[in-house]
Amino acid sequence: MKDETILVSSGRHPEDNYGIVNPPVYHASTVVFPTLAAWRKRDPLKTVTYGRAGTPTTHALQEAVAAIEGGVHALACSSGLGAITTALLAFVKSGDHILCTDSAYFPTRNYCQKVLARFGVETTYYDPLIGGNIAGLIRPNTKVVYTECPGSLTFDMQDIPAISAAAHARGVIVMNDNTWATGLYFKSFEKGVDVSVHAGTKYIVGHSDAMLGMIVTTKEAFPAIWESFRLSGQCAGPDDMYLGLRGFRTMSARLVQHQQRALTLANWLKQQPEVTRVLYPALPDHPGHAIWKRDFRGASGLFSVVLDRAYDDTALGALLDGLELFGMGASWGGYESLVLPAEPSNLRTATKWDDPGTVLRFHVGLEHSDDQIADLDAGFSRLRKAARA
Ligand SMILES: *Cc1c(COP(=O)(O)O)cnc(C)c1O
């Protein structure tokens, strides 16, 4: 089946529920069993055994999210960060080593530095563009190569097939944060990833109203992930899973529009005299464009621009405070546009971000491009006026 069909039909079992299209929300902790024999036979992967181990909503969501990415199993977690920490913990013990991309989502780095380090797990950060040369950094105790493609602030495109080949040659697990592309636009498992993690909060939910994490795995990686998941008490809330599943059904329609509007806006931003670079891999002049074209089936609505200098908060406030369509806030992936200033230079150790220009990260929502452009056009006019003053 084609992707659009998988999004609509995977994990759907209306026959189990009076023919109703969407599974209901099950609020559950206790599940009672009719007989001792049934209790003895309970299997949390196949049936409903306890609230934490999932309900039919959980199973539907997990089945659907695994199917679109080409994974064998998926598990729903309380948040994207919960999915990342649960996945990392599955493969490391005291004395082990992780290789993590320098462009990783900052809380992922923070977890490695502040939590895993306390348990004797060492993390080395590597240049996101390292490709197959990652081989030179793999140690006998390296257990995981962690990737995020593209990095969700600076949009460095990683050569995942080359990194995976090098890691697998040494028996090392490859993990990828696939939140930006989703399972629709990046088929992690075809590219050599063993464990894919998602902030379902972003495009899967798609409406900025629920927290959700997903871990998607190969058959081989699943037992370790399952144990970590089960023993750490991970579970997503029933309403949030329902919203995730509902958002998932329309993901192809939304992402097509996010991409189209992001391309339009990226090209408009390029024309602005204050914009020196647009960091969007779908643009032909992006340094990672060739990798994006080779490995990805589409681009989502998140990218950054670099401005010609470091604007002070008076000038930046003039641009940002008056925007009507672009909200200022964490997260992204909803239907609405967002913008945030970013400081990549503070978030790296293996590589240098030495461009002094202000970085703005945009999430391009589903508003009409004309209105998005008019809003930002007025914003850049205010910036010019404030910068001259
Ligand atoms: C938001 C985000 C996360 C974390 O997801 P939460 O659901 O907010 O915990 C992880 N990775 C990336 C790339 C993100 O943007």
Side-chain angles (χ1 to χ4, degrees):
M1 274 195 281
K2 303 274 194 231
D3 280 348
E4 289 82 351
T5 316
I6 294 173
L7 282 176
V8 167
S9 56
S10 56
R12 289 253 313 273
H13 303 286
E15 69 283 2
D16 293 345
N17 178 43
Y18 306 102
I20 291 169
V21 171
N22 290 327
V25 180
Y26 292 89
H27 287 110
S29 54
T30 300
V31 175
V32 293
F33 290 76
T35 62
L36 178 63
W39 170 254
R40 297 271 191 236
K41 261 199 356 224
R42 70 197 187 283
D43 175 353
L45 280 175
K46 296 212 177 85
T47 57
V48 176
T49 58
Y50 181 54
R52 198 176 61 221
T55 67
T57 320
T58 322
H59 297 152
L61 175 68
Q62 293 178 165
E63 190 181 328
V65 168
I68 192 61
E69 196 165 0
V72 175
H73 293 285
L75 294 168
C77 301
S78 57
S79 69
L81 188 56
I84 292 164
T85 61
T86 302
L88 282 170
L89 269 184
F91 296 104
V92 292
K93 61 178 188 323
S94 176
D96 285 344
H97 176 240
I98 293 172
L99 285 165
C100 179
T101 175
D102 213 23
S103 56
Y105 177 64
F106 191 69
T108 305
R109 289 182 73 117
N110 236 355
Y111 184 76
C112 292
Q113 289 319 110
K114 300 222 167 103
V115 181
L116 293 183
R118 277 200 281 124
F119 295 91
V121 177
E122 191 190 345
T123 304
T124 304
Y125 298 92
Y126 64 86
D127 181 345
L129 307 183
I130 197 165
N133 292 332
I134 192 88
L137 297 180
I138 295 174
R139 306 177 188 170
N141 61 340
T142 304
K143 292 292 156 59
V144 175
V145 175
Y146 190 91
T147 63
E148 181 177 315
C149 187
S152 61
L153 217 50
T154 45
F155 300 89
D156 327 66
M157 289 301 291
Q158 298 200 256
D159 190 336
I160 305 280
I163 289 172
S164 298
H168 291 162
R170 302 277 296 273
V172 177
I173 289 278
V174 177
M175 221 172 267
N176 181 43
D177 184 330
N178 198 19
T179 303
W180 182 83
T182 79
L184 185 61
Y185 286 164
F186 185 69
K187 304 297 177 187
S188 305
F189 305 98
E190 282 176 12
K191 306 295 175 199
V193 171
D194 302 290
V195 177
S196 169
V197 288
H198 295 263
T201 309
K202 312 289 164 62
Y203 285 118
I204 295 177
V205 168
H207 294 71
S208 309
D209 53 4
M211 299 301 299
L212 184 66
M214 299 299 304
I215 308 174
V216 190
T217 80
T218 58
K219 184 165 177 284
E220 294 70 28
F222 183 69
I225 291 285
W226 170 243
E227 182 164 275
S228 178
F229 174 88
R230 199 166 52 86
L231 297 182
S232 62
Q234 269 292 348
C235 67
D239 294 293
D240 287 357
M241 284 189 292
Y242 178 86
L243 290 170
L245 195 52
R246 195 163 78 157
F248 180 86
R249 301 298 177 204
T250 59
M251 209 164 68
S252 72
R254 287 185 285 110
L255 281 179
V256 164
Q257 290 223 357
H258 281 296
Q259 170 169 257
Q260 185 257 328
R261 280 150 173 69
L263 271 171
T264 303
L265 196 70
N267 280 312
W268 181 83
L269 282 162
K270 247 165 96 175
Q271 311 303 317
Q272 306 315 303
E274 294 83 5
V275 174
T276 54
R277 285 190 288 155
V278 179
L279 309 176
Y280 188 40
L283 293 180
D285 59 359
H286 185 274
H289 183 69
I291 289 180
W292 174 77
K293 233 176 131 172
R294 184 192 68 190
D295 292 345
F296 286 64
R297 300 188 182 185
S300 67
L302 190 78
F303 64 78
S304 291
V305 301
V306 187
L307 302 184
D308 56 347
R309 61 184 128 134
Y311 287 91
D312 62 22
D313 273 3
T314 311
L316 214 50
L319 194 178
L320 299 176
D321 292 352
L323 294 175
E324 289 181 2
L325 301 179
F326 287 78
M328 237 183 298
S331 203
W332 45 277
Y335 54 81
E336 84 292 8
S337 287
L338 296 168
V339 60
L340 267 186
E343 272 126 47
S345 53
N346 299 334
L347 308 177
R348 294 181 168 236
T349 50
T351 51
K352 261 207 160 50
W353 181 274
D354 46 19
D355 194 320
T358 296
V359 177
L360 293 177
R361 189 182 73 174
F362 289 92
H363 178 253
V364 187
L366 305 179
E367 306 89 353
H368 197 287
S369 291
D370 292 352
D371 295 323
Q372 293 172 344
I373 287 172
D375 198 22
L376 290 182
D377 196 32
F380 273 95
S381 297
R382 291 191 299 272
L383 173 74
R384 270 160 222 152
K385 223 168 121 192
R388 270 200 306 269

